[in-house]
Amino acid sequence: MIADILTGAVRSGTSVMLASQGELISERAGVINLGTEGSMLAGALGGFAVTVWTGNPWLGALAGGGCGLLLSLLHAVLVVGFGANQLATGLAIMFFGIGLTSFFGRDFVSSQIVGFNPVPIPLLSDIPFVGGILFNHDPLTYLSVLLVPAIWYLLFRTRLGIMVRTAGEREDVLFASGLNPRLIRACAVLAGGFLAGLGGAQLSIAYTHSWVENMTAGRGVVAVALVIFASWKPQRAMLGAYLFGAAQALQLTVQQQGWAISPFFLFMFPYLLTLAALLLVERRKLSRTPEALGRVLAGDPGG
Amino acid sequence: MKLSSSKSSLTGIIAALLAVIVFVAGCSQPGSGGSSGGANSGTAEAGAEGSAAPGSGGSAVGFIFVGTKDDYGYNQAAYLGSQAVEKAFPDLKVLRSENVPETAEAERVMEQMIKDGAKIIFPTSYGHLEPALNVAKRHPDVAFYHQGGLKTAANLGTYFGTIWEPVYLAGVTAGKMSKTGKLGYIVSVPIPQVLLNVNAFELGAKSVNPDATTSVVFTGSWCDPGQQANAVNSLLDGGADVISQHQDCSKTIVEAAERRGAMTVGYHADSSALAPKGWLTGSEWNWPDLFVDMVRTAADGGFKGSVYDGKYRGMLKDDVVRLSTFGSAVPDEVKAFVEERKQEIVDGTLHPFAGPVKDQSGQERIAAGQAPTTDELEAMDYLVEGVVGSIPQ
């Protein structure tokens, strides 16, 4: 039963994890993007549509990332370009994404695809307990796991990473070094949109093999919340996403035990857990808030 | 300084985020989603002037759906019915509107249909009832046929089917076919319709395998593919080998179970094409003939006093609800056995809920020798013995 829950954690946490990694890059550069939900939906639909047309889920995944990026371009232009309020813009883009994908997705609801399927890794997947949890997933899931150390390395061990983080902390320093902080911010937002789109595509072409309007059902917003929970650290965002996935799986497993717990309480459980984790972390880790982000949260328009 | 000020606002942000999460999660249920309104197809010349009999004298028939027409589910079944009406009445324009939320927006759509000449309107989702009642009050010359409603009005009748009869038969099939004796049932929220189906399924399975259990899993949504896939995996990991469901969209579940080599039981519409290996059977609505008859009755001015002027419930014997075709996995002797039970239900010699029926706590809910009425069944608020899962008390 524990193995089932942990397997479920990875299965249902991966889309959220990808989106949260993207949002993390964006927030590190000082831009909070509530439109992540919209980017995920755009990625889910774009990825599904391209997989229907080409029959190739890899192209679909790429297209999904591209669609997520396109929607985040809107956020980048409005927020970084015109200095619009980040929170209001993000919310507007989220609802725009929901409407847009519902409209264009109508013809894909009944389409069937041959998407990504679980590929057990030889030998490793035979290890008892751990094998099933870690080494029997779809290719996008493996990719997403490899992505986390890559993003960590990029952010904390390369010059590019320093530039991104400086954009989120002290943009005048960048300016003084002859770099354009706005450009760096915009690129970080776009990278975030791409990963959110990839996460959406994982949901549609790898996990469910379906497209249904508003199929992300709040996962993008959870991803944004997770980044704060994770104190803007990639490995903790990964942990948080799997925690959310585990709570979703646990909820379903608990129901099958026949314990007298109201299903309505269980529906809240993943969000309650996320809330609890957020509150816990807020007390201790606040000093790590990127400064530019702190200004946005404190009411400055940002940008 | 800066840090302390951002701290208090961080709390605000978190609160706002959670509000948004709850809102968006709620939006995942068809009906509350603020999605595309769906356009009425075509226009029609203004309707003839109203006559006394509701439903007569119109130039169009309106259908509103809560979801999309090809969801392999609830809406697709109703859409097929609207197509039959289109074919049977070439003189009547069929107006359709998909993705109509269960809000005042539905009233607006119905008003527009009436403007476009509709004198007969089918609001096909459970939550369309209240908006329809409001519009019905304003337009006594229009006949409304609401799907599944428990309330009626002078010019609004409701229709539905005793779908639990084929669900019972699907349970018999699942009970015969399951090797583990553990069946999984994916549902949305604990409302009477849902509990009725889960119970019928378990009673059917138990009639052929006394040890069979049905694990019920609530997802909280009528269509959240991510949670549906989770639920399929979770039930199969828990040892179930047959997956049934009561969701508005069923494609993800049927496909996911097929990919994992499990058997599936469908609901609402025939989705055997999605699971060539694991499909057992399913329960379907057969609206076409009924819709055509309902439209004819109202258009001829005979709405008042007809069977449709009130709560109409079509049964297996009326062919309003059906057992889906059997999949290739089902051997002939099982098919024959289920067909026999079906004939007994049609003949009235077998009642799926014939007592004694005990609930999960072992308390007798239906006494031996008793058979509850449809009205009593539609108020079901318990799960029967053998169902694993819990509902709020």
Side-chain angles (χ1 to χ4, degrees):
Chain A
M1 181 174 136
I2 292 170
D4 295 345
I5 293 169
L6 293 177
T7 313
V10 178
R11 276 187 198 139
S12 63
T14 296
S15 58
V16 179
M17 199 268 268
L18 278 165
S20 70
Q21 296 299 325
E23 175 66 11
L24 188 136
I25 296 174
S26 175
E27 287 192 25
R28 274 284 178 183
V31 180
I32 187 164
N33 184 2
L34 290 174
T36 297
E37 176 85 9
S39 282
M40 277 187 88
L41 278 170
L45 176 60
F48 191 80
V50 168
T51 308
V52 170
W53 292 328
T54 65
N56 185 338
W58 286 105
L59 283 179
L62 207 64
C67 291
L69 182 143
L70 276 180
L71 204 66
S72 70
L73 181 64
L74 207 59
H75 192 67
V77 167
L78 289 170
V79 166
V80 183
F82 294 101
N85 182 291
Q86 296 191 3
L87 303 177
T89 308
L91 276 177
I93 289 176
M94 174 173 97
F95 287 108
F96 174 62
I98 292 174
L100 192 77
T101 52
S102 302
F103 181 75
F104 286 109
R106 289 160 56 86
D107 293 339
F108 293 98
V109 173
S110 60
S111 303
Q112 281 186 272
I113 56 164
V114 180
F116 290 111
N117 281 309
V119 182
I121 295 182
L123 298 176
L124 289 177
S125 59
D126 297 331
I127 305 171
F129 194 72
V130 183
I133 299 170
L134 295 178
F135 303 112
N136 191 5
H137 292 288
D138 62 85
L140 282 187
T141 301
Y142 296 133
L143 197 72
S144 72
V145 174
L146 296 177
L147 200 73
V148 178
I151 288 179
W152 176 86
Y153 184 82
L154 207 72
L155 278 176
F156 299 101
R157 289 291 181 272
T158 64
R159 191 177 139 76
L160 187 69
I162 294 175
M163 277 153 54
V164 169
R165 284 186 295 132
T166 313
E169 303 280 357
R170 288 287 161 88
E171 54 178 338
D172 12 344
V173 173
L174 279 182
F175 213 70
S177 340
L179 292 163
N180 183 349
R182 287 186 162 194
L183 186 70
I184 293 170
R185 268 195 194 156
C187 288
V189 173
L190 295 185
F194 183 86
L195 288 181
L198 195 63
Q202 196 273 339
L203 193 64
S204 68
I205 60 182
Y207 192 40
T208 66
H209 294 217
S210 327
W211 160 258
V212 171
E213 59 173 70
N214 200 16
M215 71 183 294
T216 52
R219 287 172 180 83
V221 187
V222 169
V224 178
L226 280 175
V227 176
I228 301 175
F229 152 67
S231 316
W232 298 274
K233 287 198 155 102
Q235 66 276 24
R236 291 181 55 158
M238 172 162 95
L239 209 67
Y242 289 158
L243 182 72
F244 179 74
Q248 284 200 318
L250 176 72
Q251 175 221 325
L252 297 169
T253 309
V254 165
Q255 289 192 31
Q256 293 166 54
Q257 307 309 311
W259 298 331
I261 304 175
S262 163
F264 290 108
F265 172 77
L266 291 170
F267 299 158
M268 292 188 296
F269 184 67
Y271 306 105
L272 277 181
L273 195 74
T274 312
L275 173 67
L278 276 167
L279 288 177
L280 218 70
V281 129
E282 192 202 349
R283 291 247 164 75
R284 297 185 294 123
K285 305 288 182 191
L286 194 80
S287 57
R288 292 179 191 167
T289 312
E291 260 193 47
L293 204 63
R295 285 199 294 278
V296 175
L297 301 182
D300 277 10
Chain B
M1 305 166 310
K2 184 143 274 158
L3 287 184
S4 65
S5 78
S6 69
K7 177 170 181 173
S8 64
S9 56
L10 193 56
T11 316
I13 268 285
I14 288 166
L17 276 177
L18 276 149
V20 170
I21 289 170
V22 170
F23 182 79
V24 175
C27 276
S28 67
Q29 301 187 10
S32 50
S35 53
S36 63
N40 294 349
S41 55
T43 54
E45 65 269 43
E49 57 197 51
S51 61
S56 61
S59 62
V61 181
F63 289 87
I64 63 172
F65 308 97
V66 73
T68 45
K69 66 176 194 292
D70 37 16
D71 59 357
Y72 282 102
Y74 187 85
N75 296 293
Q76 180 167 333
Y79 183 82
L80 292 175
S82 77
Q83 281 184 317
V85 170
E86 199 163 35
K87 218 167 159 190
F89 302 95
D91 298 340
L92 287 175
K93 180 114 195 144
V94 168
L95 309 171
R96 299 189 183 92
S97 203
E98 295 168 51
N99 290 319
V100 177
E102 297 170 324
T103 61
E105 169 74 4
E107 287 188 39
R108 193 194 62 72
V109 174
M110 284 185 266
E111 290 285 0
Q112 183 61 44
M113 287 177 164
I114 292 169
K115 263 190 208 138
D116 291 342
K119 290 276 189 233
I120 301 168
I121 291 185
F122 286 77
T124 60
S125 182
Y126 190 78
H128 289 150
L129 180 60
E130 293 301 329
L133 283 167
N134 292 339
V135 180
K137 210 177 285 172
R138 290 197 289 270
H139 299 277
D141 59 325
V142 178
F144 293 81
Y145 289 129
H146 180 266
Q147 185 162 321
L150 300 175
K151 280 192 257 181
T152 61
N155 56 333
L156 185 148
T158 70
Y159 64 93
F160 214 46
T162 51
I163 193 93
W164 41 270
E165 292 176 321
V167 170
Y168 174 87
L169 294 170
V172 173
T173 315
K176 280 273 186 196
M177 295 297 296
S178 173
K179 293 189 177 63
T180 62
K182 290 176 91 170
L183 316 173
Y185 215 117
I186 301 168
V187 300
S188 54
V189 285
I191 60 170
Q193 270 184 27
V194 166
L195 303 180
L196 184 54
N197 281 340
V198 173
N199 287 342
F201 189 75
E202 168 63 17
L203 290 175
K206 214 159 41 176
S207 73
V208 290
N209 176 4
D211 297 328
T213 60
T214 300
S215 293
V216 60
V217 162
F218 297 93
T219 64
S221 164
W222 292 102
C223 183
D224 176 347
Q227 253 331 53
Q228 287 179 342
N230 276 349
V232 170
N233 286 323
S234 181
L235 285 165
L236 295 182
D237 291 345
D241 61 354
V242 179
I243 301 290
S244 182
Q245 35 84 23
H246 185 158
Q247 295 268 280
D248 275 0
C249 61
S250 61
K251 177 171 170 281
T252 307
I253 293 174
V254 174
E255 286 185 338
E258 177 80 356
R259 282 201 299 278
R260 285 197 54 176
M263 295 179 272
T264 37
V265 170
Y267 192 60
H268 288 315
D270 188 340
S271 29
S272 52
L274 299 177
K277 285 202 250 23
W279 177 263
L280 294 182
T281 183
S283 310
E284 288 172 37
W285 307 99
N286 178 29
W287 299 130
D289 293 346
L290 179 69
F291 280 15
V292 168
D293 193 47
M294 287 161 79
V295 170
R296 182 168 294 127
T297 304
D300 292 351
F303 174 79
K304 287 215 165 112
S306 71
V307 286
Y308 308 123
D309 172 18
K311 279 194 279 179
Y312 173 78
R313 296 295 181 262
M315 306 189 77
L316 196 63
K317 65 174 179 340
D318 307 317
D319 200 28
V320 168
V321 291
R322 277 186 175 162
L323 192 67
S324 303
T325 49
F326 289 106
S328 56
V330 184
D332 286 341
E333 73 254 28
V334 174
K335 285 183 202 167
F337 181 84
V338 176
E339 288 293 348
E340 272 171 42
R341 299 289 86 72
K342 181 173 155 188
Q343 196 52 47
E344 288 171 8
I345 292 181
V346 169
D347 294 343
T349 52
L350 170 65
H351 190 296
F353 282 89
V357 172
K358 289 180 182 167
D359 68 14
Q360 283 177 309
S361 65
Q363 191 193 337
E364 191 173 271
R365 290 301 191 114
I366 301 168
Q370 298 275 308
T373 64
T374 301
D375 268 354
E376 282 164 2
L377 286 174
E378 286 187 352
M380 184 144 295
D381 61 352
Y382 59 90
L383 291 168
V384 298
E385 201 171 42
V387 177
V388 182
S390 78
I391 51 172
Q393 295 302 320

